[in-house]
Amino acid sequence: FFFVHPLQMVSAILQRLPLVAQVALPSVQRAPLMTQMAAAADVVSAVDSIGTTLAFSDQAGKLAGTFFMGSLPSYLAFLYFLSYEKNRTPKVSMFGFQFLLLFVASTVFTGIVTKNTYSCTLADVDWLHGAAEALLTTSNLYVAFGFRSAMVGEPEPEGGAFRYPAFLVFALVGLVTAAGPALGFNAHDAFLGGLGNLVANPLASYASPEPENALSIPTWAIHFSSVFEWLFAMSAVSTYAAATGNERWRWLTWGMLPLHASGVAACTYHFFYNSAEVGSLVTLQAFLTLVGNTTVAIAALLIALSNGWTVGELNPFSEGKEPMFSLKAKFNGEPEPSKLIPTESRRVPLVLQPFPPAPLLAAELIALTLTASYVIKYGEPAFGLPFAPSEIVANLIVLGIPASVAYIIISAPTSSKAKA
């Protein structure tokens, strides 16, 4: 329901809080004094846990949880500015960015299960970890392939049926999360039953045994797929600057870089088997998420400003604004405002860009994902590094990989850049 406007989600949640109080308070008032006091304490605890719904549940009360929670407002601002009509953000990509909110929601209920049922963090419960991350992968797929489709001239999908696969994934994750403990899933059971795991490590003669919280092949694949998809999305956004003739889209590519670094931080933490000795990576990941959500919000604002957005757009009652104009038109039986008010974004077509076919890109993504997953899963036990966690090495990895990506962005051929 919040895919029409992201702020409606927050509004809907707040509107329902009084209903909870109406149901709960009468029963409390009828109870004995001690019961009332206990109930009041529960209410205070529940209110205090609202912050949990805005961050990864198992990080609530920690600095990482604060960073995750603080990153949500800037992400909502990003969605608002990016959805400005004259930006011509591809419909499929916009949905992908919005769908990320369901990934955030999934970390709440999966985190609650891991903490309350298994007394673990989400990163240590492989079957739930992989399930939650599958939503991030789904989000990134929509973002990346949405931009690609727009730049090769493929028509945008009619209606909302293109969203159904994503919602199906979310429903399956919710169902598995709710039913898993009752079905006897243990903390370290592998995601998707460990599909693709080898019976024995081919490098067993050189490798040390993995700890029980080591990621399975499916969970590693979900992580690497998300990282590669995001890199592809960054490249597509940069090229979209040439398609639209608006150089400010390249600023969004730079804005996405801290979020790439956040994903690298998560993978590095898992590389060290989620060791407490590199636990600072969780805080670093959360901080980079906060920074990244802020930078993409700023980039989206700059894109919107370049396309004519003004502060007056925030006024829902201003002339020419939707949905007020839509409501007036429907009430008066007039044509839709979108058909009456031509915009520059509708008149000027995108400049088509050369892009590989979608099946080829999908094959490359699968090949990269599987190669990275098997190399890390069965190669890292052969090295002593993961078993001797080092914050210095971990931070170098987190800084080094995004720095290489930044160098590639800077080195992009001038011909692929749009004119300012």
Side-chain angles (χ1 to χ4, degrees), residues 204-218:
S205 58
Y206 307 98
S208 301
E210 286 186 314
E212 60 181 356
N213 68 337
L215 269 60
S216 63
I217 283 292

Side-chain angles (χ1 to χ4, degrees), residues 331-407:
F331 182 78
N332 296 325
E334 299 172 355
E336 286 293 320
S338 59
K339 300 176 182 177
L340 290 174
I341 307 175
T343 63
E344 190 68 18
S345 62
R346 294 192 184 96
R347 289 196 298 266
V348 179
L350 295 175
V351 178
L352 300 185
Q353 302 295 311
F355 246 86
L360 177 60
L361 288 175
E364 290 178 355
L365 174 63
I366 293 171
L368 285 170
T369 296
L370 292 178
T371 300
S373 299
Y374 278 98
V375 168
I376 293 297
K377 171 70 174 176
Y378 297 108
E380 66 168 330
F383 300 94
L385 187 60
F387 300 97
S390 167
E391 283 195 337
I392 295 177
V393 174
N395 288 324
L396 287 175
I397 294 174
V398 175
L399 293 175
I401 295 177
S404 301
V405 173
Y407 176 78

Side-chain angles (χ1 to χ4, degrees), residues 140-278:
N140 290 352
L141 280 172
Y142 274 88
V143 172
F145 282 88
F147 277 107
R148 180 222 160 260
S149 296
M151 287 186 290
V152 298
E154 294 178 359
E156 291 197 325
E158 297 290 338
F162 72 95
R163 301 180 176 95
Y164 294 165
F167 289 138
L168 176 60
V169 173
F170 178 73
L172 290 174
V173 170
L175 179 63
V176 170
T177 301
L183 294 175
F185 288 4
N186 296 313
H188 301 299
D189 285 349
F191 175 52
L192 296 181
L195 179 67
N197 283 354
L198 302 180
V199 176
N201 190 339
L203 303 176
S205 58
Y206 307 98
S208 301
E210 286 186 314
E212 60 181 356
N213 68 337
L215 269 60
S216 63
I217 283 292
T219 301
W220 268 125
I222 286 292
H223 280 75
F224 281 119
S225 178
S226 296
V227 170
F228 293 137
E229 290 157 11
W230 191 251
L231 288 173
F232 171 45
M234 290 173 64
S235 175
V237 167
S238 181
T239 307
Y240 201 62
T244 59
N246 188 343
E247 177 69 11
R248 287 160 183 80
W249 277 99
R250 282 181 58 82
W251 298 356
L252 181 56
T253 300
W254 285 106
M256 296 166 72
L257 186 61
L259 294 174
H260 166 63
S262 175
V264 173
C267 290
T268 304
Y269 180 59
H270 303 324
F271 175 81
F272 288 103
Y273 300 116
N274 309 332
S275 171
E277 295 181 46
V278 290

Side-chain angles (χ1 to χ4, degrees), residues 56-60 62 107-129 185-189 212-214 269 273-274 282:
F56 294 105
S57 179
D58 56 7
Q59 297 300 324
K62 301 177 183 178
T107 63
V108 175
F109 51 79
T110 53
I112 289 172
V113 171
T114 57
K115 188 173 183 179
N116 294 341
T117 303
Y118 303 113
S119 299
C120 296
T121 63
L122 180 58
D124 288 327
V125 182
D126 194 79
W127 67 273
L128 270 177
H129 186 190
F185 288 4
N186 296 313
H188 301 299
D189 285 349
E212 60 181 356
N213 68 337
Y269 180 59
Y273 300 116
N274 309 332
V282 178

